[in-house]
Structures are given as C-alpha cells and as structure tokens.
Amino acid sequence: MKALARPGVVPYISAWSGEQPFRRPIVYDAARGGIGYADETPEDRDQYGVLWNGRTVAQGIGRPEYGNPHPQRQREAMQHLLCQGCRCPHDDDPRGVLWLLEDRRGDWAGWPNDLLTAHPPCCAPCIVKMRDSCPHLAETGHVAVRVRSSEVCAVYGRLWAPSAFGVPVRTAKKDVVAYGSHLARWVLAGQLVRSLHDCTVVDLERELARHP
C-alpha cells in the first residue's frame, strides 16, 4: 500500500483543525438497547456493532492536532496494522511488529504483555522523523517493542447514559470499552484498541540502524 504524501512529519493518523467533528443527534436505539444516530447508516458502526464518532476529511488543512487522532484514520491503521506515521505496511520481522510505546515498564512485571493500546504500529523510518518533531512524543518517554501477537479487542471513546426522559445523556467520561461488554452499546467510539502479546522490548537505536 502506497504511503500518502503529507506535509512535514505530521503522523498520518493525526487530525487537523480543518477536519471538523460531526455534530449529529444521538438518540436511544431501542432495538440495540443503547445509543444510535437519528440519521444512522450502516457505515456508522463497525463489524461488532459499536457506534463510531466521525470527522470530516481534510488532511493537511489547518493545523495538525498532535496527540489527537482522526477516528477514521486511526481505525484504519489499527485494523490493518499500518504505520501510524506514513500508512505504509507494518515493520515486521521474526520478533514481531514494531511498536513505539510510552515507556511504562514499571507498571507490572512482563510489561507490555497484555497491554491495551490505541497507538498503531510505527515503522523505523517514521520513528526517526516523529521522535524529534512530534510534541506528543517529546513529552513522554518512549520505548520500541516487537509484538508477535495482537488482537482488536476494544474501543476508546465517550460514554453515554440512559435518562428518565428517554434521551441519552452525554457523560464526562471517556474510557476503554471491551467488545461484547454491556457498555459497548453506550460508547461513541473514537479509537480502536488492540491488546499486545508475546512482546519483546528492543533497543531503539539498533532498530533504527537496520533502516539507514
């Protein structure tokens, strides 16, 4: 799959200020027992029946919103394991797919095995570009990881709740919601989530040296 041309080193999945969020009425979907759009189409839900948020597509218009992924592009990259930086096929070898993650090795023994992440993979050339220029990466420590197995298992999004008046209420809470859970009917998804397994933390400089 050919990478898309884009200005500078803005990650492919980043939203731009010119891409406006959709403002569509949320209603109670009695058939599903959760939320839906008043003017819903089949494309508004994923294969598991979860309702998705959306934005207009105007990549490169306005200012890049680093750390704020465009729902459709993030979902595409995560679903097909594309590089979050350039949309090229994932960087893979016998140790697994290359991921760049926030360094949370102190969280539990064996981290990042069983980690849930909304960050798609990243190829080594894009790591070089992004780590020095992306404000979001500059603010957090990061580590390179090879992942042999991962699965789509959840979404991250805004939770809604039922009300006495029959009209869903938008809550202040955003959370990771597992597919198949009761909350999956009440979340407006914005990012796709994968669980990572059989992971190996690798030396970032050695990974970069393999791609001169």
Side-chain angles (χ1 to χ4, degrees):
M1 185 176 295
K2 185 178 180 180
L4 295 184
R6 52 187 170 71
V9 291
V10 179
Y12 169 72
I13 66 170
S14 291
W16 291 74
S17 60
E19 297 177 309
Q20 297 302 309
F22 293 152
R23 305 295 183 188
R24 300 169 65 188
I26 297 288
V27 298
Y28 178 68
D29 185 333
R32 297 177 181 273
I35 58 172
Y37 288 126
D39 58 347
E40 189 172 315
T41 67
E43 290 72 27
D44 292 322
R45 293 183 184 271
D46 62 24
Q47 60 183 315
Y48 302 105
V50 170
L51 191 67
W52 273 78
N53 194 4
R55 296 180 72 137
T56 58
V57 178
Q59 192 176 11
I61 303 300
R63 301 179 307 278
E65 298 180 359
Y66 295 101
N68 182 26
H70 188 284
Q72 283 76 21
R73 292 197 292 273
Q74 187 276 347
R75 179 179 166 190
E76 174 198 13
M78 190 64 101
Q79 182 72 55
H80 300 290
L81 291 176
L82 306 178
C83 172
Q84 64 172 288
C86 67
R87 193 178 173 247
C88 68
H90 56 268
D91 185 331
D92 196 5
D93 72 12
R95 299 167 299 165
V97 178
L98 183 62
W99 244 276
L100 186 67
L101 302 172
E102 294 178 9
D103 191 350
R104 304 294 296 272
R105 279 176 281 189
D107 283 3
W108 66 81
W111 183 95
N113 285 297
D114 302 322
L115 175 71
L116 300 181
T117 183
H119 297 296
C122 193
C123 70
C126 278
I127 288 178
V128 174
K129 299 173 185 177
M130 292 166 55
R131 67 172 181 171
D132 299 325
S133 60
C134 179
H136 182 66
L137 284 180
E139 292 172 1
T140 62
H142 48 273
V143 62
V145 177
R146 288 283 180 179
V147 179
R148 285 198 178 94
S149 173
S150 69
E151 61 180 343
V152 170
C153 63
V155 296
Y156 175 78
R158 176 80 61 183
L159 288 172
W160 289 66
S163 74
F165 303 100
V167 179
V169 177
R170 183 178 184 269
T171 75
K173 185 177 182 181
K174 289 186 175 183
D175 207 349
V176 173
V177 175
Y179 281 121
S181 72
H182 73 282
L183 288 178
R185 295 172 296 179
W186 291 96
V187 65
L188 185 60
Q191 298 180 55
L192 196 59
V193 174
R194 277 184 178 267
S195 57
L196 308 184
H197 311 283
D198 199 2
C199 306
T200 303
V201 175
V202 297
D203 184 276
L204 180 55
E205 296 307 319
R206 289 184 179 179
E207 295 299 315
L208 298 181
R210 297 173 61 242
H211 298 267

